[in-house]
Amino acid sequence: MTVNLSRIKISRGELSYFEATPDAGAEVKGTVVVVPGFTGSREDFLPMAPFVTAAGYRLISYSQLGQYDSDGPDGRDAVGEYTITKFALDLAEVIDGVAPGEKVHLLGHSFGGLVTRAAVLNDPARFLDYVILDSPPSGQNLGGAMDIGQVPELLWAGGNEALWKAMFGAFEDIFPAPVKEFLLGRIMSTKTANIAGIALTMGNEPDRVDELGATGVPILVVAGENDVIPLDAQADAAARLGTKFELIAGAGHTPNEEKPEELTKVLVDFWSGRDA
């Protein structure tokens, strides 16, 4: 496996991404593009890279506009730049840049699932298939202890550090020191307008499951068995899509980090037969 960190220029700025490829000389079955969620970044999928590339796939993971190590405007006036609609257009530009003319396997995690859904609805023919990972059908199915509607004012009052305390303060000491240092540094370097904008656009997102089912794109719904997003809402979405709902044992909201090998096995089983 080879992993390269790079940047890609789109119309709204430069985004950071990593590309993981199988060993030199190995057959490449296709390209997988993955999109991280709320307060996430390209690094969320690094644990999967060895398993995805060993299965013969090229993996692209990027930080969305305003996320860790990517460009993006900041301040209250910039909140409107961080909408699902605009993120989906960014994704289309990323795919055009990293896989021009190629149909790709697409995966969206959590908030990234709403962004990827919008991209599939915009241009279904661009995708071989689509995986929804730990993502809600709408802004009314978020679950969890935090009221997403309170996030913008929390940020404007106390900055990104206040969000860190709200999200992780109760159990931050369980993180190994290097992990805590990275996660805290990532939140602190994420544009505040990005976090506020995502909270607003995610909270207002309608249920578009039936629209998605009408695209004809092959879809798989996957979640950790202990996900914070209500499993019944995700199971209902899978049922309406007429597809399987796979649970990853022992994982919470981030199977891509907690159980990367087990998750990749489920994904490879789904991808097989539709490779470019």
Side-chain angles (χ1 to χ4, degrees), residues 18-264:
F18 79 75
E19 176 185 17
T21 54
D23 292 335
E27 176 191 3
V28 178
K29 298 177 181 177
T31 296
V32 180
V33 176
V34 294
V35 181
F38 183 62
T39 74
S41 68
R42 64 187 183 190
E43 286 78 9
D44 293 345
F45 296 94
L46 272 173
M48 289 176 57
F51 307 108
V52 172
T53 55
Y57 295 90
R58 173 182 178 236
L59 177 64
I60 302 288
S61 176
Y62 71 98
S63 295
Q64 299 190 78
L65 191 82
Q67 289 185 329
Y68 177 68
D69 201 33
S70 282
D71 290 348
D74 210 354
R76 285 178 182 257
D77 293 343
V79 169
E81 294 302 309
Y82 298 103
T83 66
I84 288 169
T85 298
K86 292 183 177 182
F87 281 128
L89 295 175
D90 293 344
L91 170 57
E93 289 192 56
V94 169
I95 294 172
D96 286 344
V98 301
E102 178 186 351
K103 282 193 170 188
V104 302
H105 303 279
L106 181 66
L107 181 151
H109 174 245
S110 193
F111 171 70
L114 301 179
V115 172
T116 48
R117 181 174 73 183
V120 172
L121 289 171
N122 286 343
D123 188 8
R126 194 71 177 82
F127 306 101
L128 290 167
D129 47 49
Y130 172 39
V131 176
I132 304 168
L133 177 63
D134 296 277
S135 186
S138 76
Q140 288 69 58
N141 307 115
L142 298 178
M146 178 180 292
D147 180 355
I148 199 75
Q150 297 178 355
V151 168
E153 289 309 313
L154 176 69
L155 290 165
W156 304 133
N160 293 16
E161 187 173 6
L163 182 70
W164 167 268
K165 289 296 184 183
M167 290 179 66
F168 301 111
F171 54 92
E172 62 180 332
D173 290 338
I174 70 171
F175 295 126
V179 174
K180 178 181 175 180
E181 181 181 359
F182 171 74
L183 292 176
L184 177 58
R186 179 168 70 176
I187 280 189
M188 295 305 294
S189 66
T190 299
K191 301 295 189 293
T192 303
N194 165 284
I195 303 173
I198 287 177
L200 290 170
T201 194
M202 180 162 54
N204 291 322
E205 177 70 357
D207 187 315
R208 305 186 71 185
V209 171
D210 294 341
E211 292 177 68
L212 182 64
T215 64
V217 174
I219 298 169
L220 178 67
V221 180
V222 186
E225 67 172 351
N226 301 312
D227 192 12
V228 296
I229 305 296
L231 294 179
D232 58 350
Q234 297 183 71
D236 176 71
R240 284 190 284 149
L241 290 166
T243 191
K244 293 177 67 176
F245 180 39
E246 296 275 9
L247 288 177
I248 305 301
H253 188 56
T254 54
N256 44 306
E257 297 177 275
E258 301 163 74
K259 297 288 182 179
E261 185 173 10
E262 293 84 349
L263 173 60
T264 301

